[in-house]
Amino acid sequence: MSATEVVFLLFAALAVGSALLAMTTSQLVHSALWLVVTLGAVAGCFVLMTAEFVAWVQVLVYVGSVVVLVIFALMLTRQQSTISAEVTGNRWTAAVLGLVAAVGLGATVVSGFHGERIEGRRIGTARSLGDALFNDWVLPFEILSGVLLAALVGAIVISRSGTER
Amino acid sequence: MTYGKGLLQGLKVTFKNLTRRSVTAHYPDVQPDLPPRSRGVIALQEENCTSCMLCARECPSWCITIDSHKETIPATTEGGRDRSQNVLDTFDIDYSLCMYCTICIEVCPFDALHWSPEFAYAEGDIVDLTHDMNRLREWMWTVPAPQALDPGAEPSKELAAYEAAAEDPE
Amino acid sequence: MPDVIDVILRCVLVLAVFMVLPLVIGQMEHKAMAHMQSRVGPMAAGGFHGWAQLVADGVKFVQKESITPVAADRRVFELAPAVALAPYLVALLAIPLGPFFGQGNLIGQDLDLGLFFVLAAMSVGVLGTLMGGLGSGNKYSYIGGMRVAAQLMSYELPMVLAAASVAMAAGTLSLVGIAQEWEPWWLITQLPGLIVFFIAGLAELQRPPFDAPLADAELVMGPLTEYGGMRFAMFLLAEYAGILVLSALTTVLFLGGWAGPFSDHIGWLWTLVKVMAVAFLVIWARVAYPRLREDQVNALAWKVLVPVALAQITLTTVLVVA
């Protein structure tokens, strides 16, 4: 086991542990901050997999913007910082959906990259990512941007409909 | 484009200030240059005081305490009358009450009270802010000469009255 | 073995820069702001024109009691200053200072993706203020925290877009590479990007005139209200370190870094001079402009900066492709 693998395992354990804490802590703000730790640990994993670009963008976008957005939404909507441990009917549906998604994603990754090793190759540089994104995967990329555009238009429509009334 | 103009003006004004020398008085290092009429502390010319109590009565904050007794001066000439004179026992000014209004100095008919520009007499105990006769007398040494008249100004009224009296011996 | 010494030397140098330059900027702020307001600023500490004022402040802060309010979220409250300060130190590791007497480039670690590394670190740094706002258990801090969040969301985008424009023009994401590719005419073609980057950076650091989250007249001190002693000192140091990182990044991205006469030998000096000039501009803006209202802050980001940044990217694309 190389030093890189040890560090990778540490990061992975940190990611999983903080993700569990984010789910189980009783304070919404704490779970948002544990999410920061999770995302940071995942970024660390990306670095160890030589995917530095993904790692820094992960920190920049997810820690710098998405978590801030989550916290902002928390602050706007909920005044009390603790939530009572209420079990709604959605809880079990969510658990099932999460399990299915986890198994599906895990199976895809394992079947796609089973046994492959990174060693010595730099697969995650900005150049190789750009090549892959705009040569091999250009259609999914464009479809995704179409989805984002639709979401943007939807957000504008919803926010404007209130003012015209 | 009034928007951008204001922004530039803000930068210009602040930068101009940066290049100018500041006008700050560096007080503890450099003593201030005070004009002769500065209201720093009231000094007492004890010899001029006749204990007439005008100042104590006019003081709006009652911060002056005067106590005196009469003394008799024997007649200097044969068969002359003895003269009596008021001698000060106490003359205290409580600077914790004084509001520096100058009324006592204005009303003094014999120029016994004067302004001194000294201002550094803060005390740790409020009791020490009451200056007694001796301390007030000491301030006299710091009283500057009266402010010179402006060039070409008419002479003071007192001087004019004095000269008029000298010309016309009734 | 020389490698280890090299790494240690670089780390020590970065640490030294991190300890010294923010204080220099802080002192510059004290004096420049004072003179712009027709004052003289600190004069006593250290003897000559109060040069040791910030050191004296530091000594004072160390002696103060560290108080954690009862209503505070203890761990979040106590961790926030460190979260605010540490990322700027990390960011400095990747910012090049330039050639040092022909001995190669002075930099902590030359990263292929230095630009994104530094931007990512800066975006983590501002989480500290947010944590302070959330964890203080004080309504002023809370409102300040909300403003921090709104401001961050608005200004992250134009800042990254403006930086991306330079990266596109240079064809690299390495900060050393960008500074080497820099050409004087970028001063004109990248000018909108420069302005957007600088303004967005000011807003990201919550420097006046974008200090609506702190707004001492209405929110006491926003997220920093409950802090005192060493923790407050760390926030203060983080503010100056943030100015340093922003100035250094602006210099390297838009002003050519060490470009200048004899840059092979005194390139590092050119970088320092430019960094200090940009830092002076940060201070100047604080003195010259009143605080923006909360709605103005967000309107400026979305209605002015984002469109300008997008236009800049389009322009750069046209120039690069053409």
Side-chain angles (χ1 to χ4, degrees), chain B residues 85-136:
Chain B
Q85 186 189 21
N86 282 330
V87 176
L88 274 178
D89 293 327
T90 318
F91 193 109
D92 292 346
I93 298 183
D94 187 353
Y95 282 107
S96 65
L97 294 177
C98 176
M99 56 193 212
Y100 301 88
C101 64
T102 314
I103 289 177
C104 55
I105 294 169
E106 302 274 319
V107 298
C108 182
F110 301 106
D111 281 349
L113 293 172
H114 302 269
W115 274 121
S116 156
E118 292 296 314
F119 56 89
Y121 51 93
E123 298 283 355
D125 190 339
I126 198 167
V127 174
D128 298 329
L129 274 174
T130 303
H131 293 194
D132 66 6
M133 203 158 67
N134 300 322
R135 192 151 177 214
L136 291 172

Side-chain angles (χ1 to χ4, degrees), chain B residues 3-24:
Chain B
Y3 206 69
K5 200 175 146 199
L7 292 178
L8 284 181
Q9 206 160 24
L11 291 180
K12 201 180 94 186
V13 168
T14 44
F15 194 79
K16 222 188 259 171
N17 260 341
L18 181 70
T19 56
R20 277 199 214 114
R21 261 194 98 73
S22 85
V23 293
T24 307

Side-chain angles (χ1 to χ4, degrees), chain C residues 136-188:
Chain C
S136 289
N138 174 321
K139 57 187 163 193
Y140 295 113
S141 301
Y142 197 83
I143 298 171
M146 276 174 75
R147 291 184 174 187
V148 173
Q151 197 158 315
L152 286 186
M153 282 190 297
S154 306
Y155 283 90
E156 190 94 358
L157 184 61
M159 191 169 177
V160 174
L161 286 179
S165 155
V166 188
M168 275 164 65
T172 173
L173 286 170
S174 152
L175 287 175
V176 178
I178 290 174
Q180 275 165 352
E181 293 288 324
W182 184 83
E183 285 165 51
W185 53 267
W186 282 20
L187 278 180
I188 298 160

Side-chain angles (χ1 to χ4, degrees), chain C residues 242-303:
Chain C
I243 297 176
L244 174 63
V245 170
L246 172 68
S247 308
L249 211 52
T250 311
T251 306
V252 172
L253 291 181
F254 293 95
L255 302 177
W258 49 89
F262 310 110
S263 64
D264 282 348
H265 292 278
I266 55 163
W268 59 281
L269 208 60
W270 281 114
T271 314
L272 280 183
V273 167
K274 288 174 186 175
V275 167
M276 282 301 153
V278 177
F280 178 77
L281 210 60
V282 174
I283 295 162
W284 198 0
R286 170 178 182 174
V287 183
Y289 301 132
R291 181 183 308 128
L292 266 71
R293 220 170 44 217
E294 188 52 28
D295 60 320
Q296 292 169 333
V297 167
N298 287 304
L300 177 69
W302 292 109
K303 291 182 182 166

